[in-house]
Amino acid sequence: MLNGNGKYHIITYGCQMNLHESEKLAGILSSRGFAPCNEPEDADIIVFNTCCIRENAEKRAEGNIGALKQLKKRNKNLIIAVGGCLTQQKGRAEALRDKFPFIDIIFGTHNLEEFGTLLDKKLSGNERLIEIREKEGAVRENTPKTRTSYPNAWVNITYGCNNFCSYCIVPYVRGRERSRSPEDILNEVRGLVAEGYKEITLLGQNVNSYGKDIPGADFPSLIRRISDIGGKFRLKFMTSHPKDFSEELVRAICDSDKACPSVHLPVQAGSDRVLALMNRKYTKEEYLDKLAVLREYIPHAAVTTDIMVGFPTETEDDFEETIDLVKKARFSGAFTFVYSKRKGTPAAEMQGQVPAAVSKKRIMRLIALQNSVNREYSKAYMGKTVEVLCEGYDAKRDKYLGRDIYGRMIYFTGTADLVGEFVQVKVTATGGISLMGELI
């Protein structure tokens, strides 16, 4: 058995929340003396951090787990662990255990911080371990983290969700909403800034409802307090729920010299009938009114969104309402996807599931519309000089890459290591979403 000097490999599915939780898993492993490696074949421990928000992520995870069967046969000492949203679903841990008898550890979202203890048990000679806590616990601080996204850093401010959108599995696998204390968040951000991180992204299933379980705390106040921290860094957050997106929050963003003028505000659909079936708790006009308030204070604010096509009973008229909203909202970017039935959610039991061919036709039309808006935004950059936070180097393009305060990706040439630096870049060519530029 390993004694803390092996290598680990983590495979992550899903959103930024999962990416950050994988940083926690990496921190737990590193604290026990394990080092990361790039390939599963080189690892002594392989951890899958799964997602079940959409069916394709779930299928990819199971496919990749199954592909390790032969590797496990060749290396009897290899430890395979599976955690995340997929395992937290009722009955799925047992199904994974039966389908993949070579998995050594199965854990859930509610006991991720206990992964180290489970690993210790396995290293001590235990057989297969399956531990899924059904109820969410209190917020835990001081979980070690090995951050992998420099110069960007993720900071959880809430866990869980109370919204129960009818299509969404999140409240069932992540539990009810719990907020971290403002002081714990502020201390973490101060530490990250001191370490040289240049972009802080606050994470939560609904960051706008932060603090509802803590007397005297709220999200706009948190934005203001973080903005008072010294040093140059950008502040972002996701995800915002439109029903809780307030004018006070807009003012906090407007008054801050740290908060980026960019907001991810998922609308999901443009039909009031469909929005009601989704249990989104706002109408199309209410959503557009909130955008109007944002753009009144911050005229050039960039708004990205999520849009779902093919929700049960969606008609052509309903879809036309979504098209109309996209035309009026003029999003700077949109994550578009076809509705994915999730067992255990109210929408999965609804009559009138939309045929796949119809959904495909609609989403292609939606994508074409949003792409045309993206190109218009990109063209407006031509010839302008913008401040870019350099995030990395693309070896295939032989160029550095980074984003401006609106989240627009820009590629540019540099002769020195610029990762983590704020640089001035003049845009020389535009594409659909990304831009090309030259260092000034």
Side-chain angles (χ1 to χ4, degrees):
M1 274 302 195
L2 298 171
N3 57 7
N5 59 358
K7 296 180 180 179
Y8 69 85
H9 181 75
I10 299 176
I11 302 171
T12 307
Y13 303 86
C15 62
Q16 284 83 356
M17 188 78 74
N18 272 31
L19 288 172
H20 184 43
E21 289 180 345
S22 288
E23 292 181 334
K24 294 180 181 179
L25 291 169
I28 290 169
L29 286 161
S30 296
S31 70
R32 282 164 167 76
F34 295 96
C37 64
N38 294 325
E39 301 297 332
E41 291 77 10
D42 299 327
D44 300 291
I45 301 173
I46 299 174
V47 184
F48 288 85
N49 187 12
T50 63
C51 174
C52 65
I53 304 303
R54 301 199 226 302
E55 185 179 19
N56 59 350
E58 195 171 304
K59 287 183 175 180
R60 282 203 320 274
E62 291 205 8
N64 290 334
I65 293 168
L68 293 182
K69 181 178 180 179
Q70 295 304 316
L71 185 59
K72 181 76 169 181
K73 280 186 177 180
R74 294 194 301 270
N75 180 5
K76 300 294 185 182
N77 291 325
L78 173 66
I79 294 176
I80 298 174
V82 181
C85 297
L86 177 60
T87 63
Q88 192 66 48
Q89 292 181 90
K90 188 175 182 179
R92 290 308 296 273
E94 292 76 13
L96 287 169
R97 175 198 62 196
D98 296 340
K99 186 175 183 180
F100 304 110
F102 52 86
I103 296 176
D104 298 285
I105 302 172
I106 299 177
F107 61 102
T109 57
H110 297 333
N111 62 331
L112 178 146
E113 288 85 357
E114 297 165 14
F115 173 67
T117 302
L118 297 176
L119 179 60
D120 292 341
K121 289 181 180 179
K122 179 62 185 177
L123 292 174
S124 297
N126 280 265
E127 297 301 318
R128 303 175 73 191
L129 296 167
I130 301 177
E131 293 196 18
I132 306 292
R133 184 190 296 156
E134 293 189 6
K135 189 69 175 175
E136 69 275 9
V139 172
R140 292 194 180 190
E141 298 293 343
N142 304 317
T143 300
K145 306 174 187 69
T146 298
R147 296 187 183 271
T148 57
S149 301
Y150 179 84
N152 306 316
W154 317 104
V155 176
N156 280 112
I157 65 170
T158 67
Y159 299 90
C161 184
N162 292 345
N163 287 312
F164 288 93
C165 299
S166 63
Y167 54 83
C168 187
I169 196 72
V170 167
Y172 305 97
V173 296
R174 290 195 173 273
R176 301 303 154 268
E177 191 172 281
R178 292 96 67 204
S179 300
R180 292 179 64 195
S181 77
E183 292 306 322
D184 285 331
I185 296 168
L186 289 164
N187 287 335
E188 183 173 354
V189 174
R190 289 188 191 103
L192 290 168
V193 173
E195 291 172 23
Y197 286 89
K198 302 296 176 61
E199 183 172 290
I200 310 297
T201 302
L202 308 179
L203 295 178
Q205 301 298 334
N206 177 14
V207 291
N208 298 342
S209 61
Y210 168 79
K212 289 187 176 181
D213 52 340
I214 298 177
D218 60 64
F219 191 48
S221 297
L222 183 66
I223 291 291
R224 293 182 186 279
R225 293 184 69 183
I226 293 175
S227 298
D228 288 337
I229 295 173
K232 182 172 183 177
F233 65 93
R234 292 176 179 173
L235 178 61
K236 294 184 176 182
F237 54 85
M238 64 186 311
T239 292
S240 288
H241 195 298
K243 72 179 179 64
D244 299 311
F245 191 77
S246 66
E247 185 173 351
E248 180 59 29
L249 174 56
V250 173
R251 287 200 297 267
I253 298 169
C254 187
D255 294 341
S256 171
D257 64 344
K258 306 292 197 315
C260 290
S262 56
V263 175
H264 187 64
L265 196 63
V267 66
Q268 303 299 358
S271 161
D272 288 348
R273 187 186 72 83
V274 172
L275 287 170
L277 287 174
M278 289 179 169
N279 194 34
R280 291 293 286 174
K281 301 181 178 68
Y282 55 82
T283 65
K284 173 184 176 182
E285 289 307 314
E286 288 171 342
Y287 182 91
L288 290 172
D289 286 345
K290 289 174 185 286
L291 287 192
V293 171
L294 173 63
R295 286 166 173 162
E296 178 184 350
Y297 282 89
I298 311 171
H300 300 294
V303 181
T304 57
T305 196
D306 296 342
I307 304 175
M308 183 187 301
V309 168
F311 187 80
T313 77
E314 181 188 68
T315 65
E316 283 298 321
D317 286 344
D318 292 325
F319 179 67
E320 288 298 334
E321 288 292 331
T322 297
I323 291 292
D324 180 64
L325 182 141
V326 172
K327 290 177 178 177
K328 290 176 178 176
R330 293 190 59 77
F331 297 112
S332 64
F335 299 94
T336 58
F337 51 94
V338 172
Y339 165 74
S340 178
K341 184 189 291 188
R342 301 285 77 196
K343 185 179 179 180
T345 64
E349 306 302 321
M350 291 181 180
Q351 300 298 312
Q353 300 287 325
V354 178
V358 174
S359 294
K360 182 177 179 180
K361 182 179 178 181
R362 289 174 184 171
I363 199 167
M364 295 307 294
R365 184 180 166 199
L366 177 62
I367 290 171
L369 172 60
Q370 183 57 47
N371 283 346
S372 69
V373 178
N374 290 343
R375 287 191 290 271
E376 289 179 33
Y377 276 119
S378 292
K379 286 179 181 178
Y381 274 86
M382 190 64 188
K384 292 183 178 179
T385 298
V386 297
E387 184 179 74
V388 173
L389 172 59
C390 184
E391 298 179 0
Y393 175 76
D394 187 329
K396 291 182 179 179
R397 299 190 187 212
D398 189 26
K399 293 184 182 297
Y400 284 96
L401 59 113
R403 298 178 188 273
D404 70 352
I405 58 173
Y406 300 105
R408 188 69 62 168
M409 179 69 75
I410 304 176
Y411 292 86
F412 58 95
T413 302
T415 58
D417 185 358
L418 299 170
V419 176
E421 300 294 329
F422 290 101
V423 295
Q424 297 295 315
V425 176
K426 182 177 180 180
V427 178
T428 57
T430 65
I433 296 178
S434 60
L435 310 169
M436 305 294 292
E438 59 184 27
L439 199 63
I440 300 298

